[in-house]
Amino acid sequence: MEIIKAHAVKNLCYIAGEKMIPQGIVIHSTGANNPNLKRYVDAPDEVGINTRNNHWNNPTPSGKKVCVHAFIGYDKEKNVRVAEILPLDICAWGVGKGSKGSYNYDPAYIQIEICEDALENESYYKAAFSLAEEYCAKLCEEFSIDTENIVGHNEAHERGYGSNHSDPEHWMKKFGESMDTLRARVAAIISERTETKYAVILGFSDAREVAEKMLFSAKAAGFEDALLAYDIEYTPLDVEDVLRVGERVKLRRGARTYDGSGLASFVYDRVHTVKQISGDRVVISYKGTVVAAVKKSDLERVK
């Protein structure tokens, strides 16, 4: 992922430079029909020239004390890119304040604005949100952020840490998605990058020739990385009645997502594939596309 670095050094938020350790991520969308990064980002060589000079590299953009860490939208070549305008260890001024405080400060969240278009172009929507998911996965790994701490601005308000906005889910719902969808996809990306590999230990023998025969048999069976070893320690895993990644499952009718949101009725009729497992939280996919994170107890295997 090639990230445009264009810090808004004239913005009062950048100048204040209040240090933070990121605890989560807030996803915003801009609320304006302009998917071009140049509207907000001062990096003419990469995003094009803002002839009105109303980008956010100004003390108070549109007369407001506002700034986020990054924008996602079109560069000058119409490629969807990430552009960072604040260092990621400086508090943003993006989510406002709720009854419990603000995700601007304590706890402080990295904040990302996705540039809206007219909200009808599914191709742009998918490109922008897919990049947002990749970027969130990168940030989660870099700052040890749990995917459950990725929230939309609307969810920040519901939790008491943001002003009353509907973004970005007002846009996501037009294409049958939600923040649950985004979180599940981010979790799946992280899981694919850090997938655990398991070894199959066939047994032990006091005779080397017997061990070599076992090795040859394992290689013939397709375990090309099989090797001969001695004096190893291992911890047997209980494999009885354990749900595994890759298994085919169906969702109990009426079950909800792991966070309690509803699901489309057709989801219960489909056979899904287990994408990721973390305790009782299971990410399921359909034909390669992540559907949702659900409770393990709401799934049944399909033979």
Side-chain angles (χ1 to χ4, degrees), residues 119-141:
L119 309 187
E120 297 176 354
N121 185 338
E122 187 171 5
S123 177
Y124 171 68
Y125 168 83
K126 287 183 175 179
F129 276 84
S130 292
L131 184 57
E133 290 153 11
E134 289 281 351
Y135 186 47
C136 284
K138 176 182 181 297
L139 297 175
C140 286
E141 292 175 317

Side-chain angles (χ1 to χ4, degrees), residues 203-225:
F204 298 90
S205 175
D206 293 330
R208 183 183 176 98
E209 61 271 18
V210 174
E212 287 179 345
K213 287 182 180 179
M214 294 171 65
L215 173 65
F216 296 148
S217 297
K219 285 182 175 292
F223 289 88
E224 297 178 358
D225 294 329

Side-chain angles (χ1 to χ4, degrees), residues 145-161:
I145 295 171
D146 191 300
T147 55
E148 294 303 316
N149 287 335
I150 304 172
V151 299
H153 191 153
N154 59 306
E155 293 177 316
H157 171 70
E158 291 167 2
R159 293 184 181 189
Y161 290 93

Side-chain angles (χ1 to χ4, degrees), residues 4 10 16 32 49 59 61 130 146 197 252 262 294 296 298:
I4 298 169
K10 298 177 184 178
I49 298 172
S130 292
D146 191 300
K197 293 185 177 180
R252 178 178 58 80
V294 299
K296 185 187 297 182
D298 286 330

Side-chain angles (χ1 to χ4, degrees), residues 27-84:
I27 304 295
H28 303 262
S29 61
T30 56
N33 182 7
N34 192 337
N36 300 299
L37 286 171
K38 67 180 180 181
R39 166 61 181 85
Y40 307 96
V41 179
D42 185 16
D45 289 345
E46 295 186 87
V47 305
I49 298 172
N50 183 329
T51 57
R52 299 182 64 184
N53 198 40
N54 62 347
H55 48 64
W56 283 23
N57 188 20
N58 283 297
T60 54
S62 301
K64 299 178 181 178
K65 291 184 177 181
V66 61
C67 201
V68 294
H69 292 94
F71 283 89
I72 293 175
Y74 285 135
D75 68 6
K76 68 178 184 180
E77 304 297 336
K78 293 300 180 183
N79 297 312
V80 178
R81 303 272 299 281
V82 175
E84 292 178 355

Side-chain angles (χ1 to χ4, degrees), residues 223-235:
F223 289 88
E224 297 178 358
D225 294 329
L227 52 84
L228 196 62
Y230 65 93
D231 291 342
I232 66 170
E233 296 182 0
Y234 72 100
T235 302

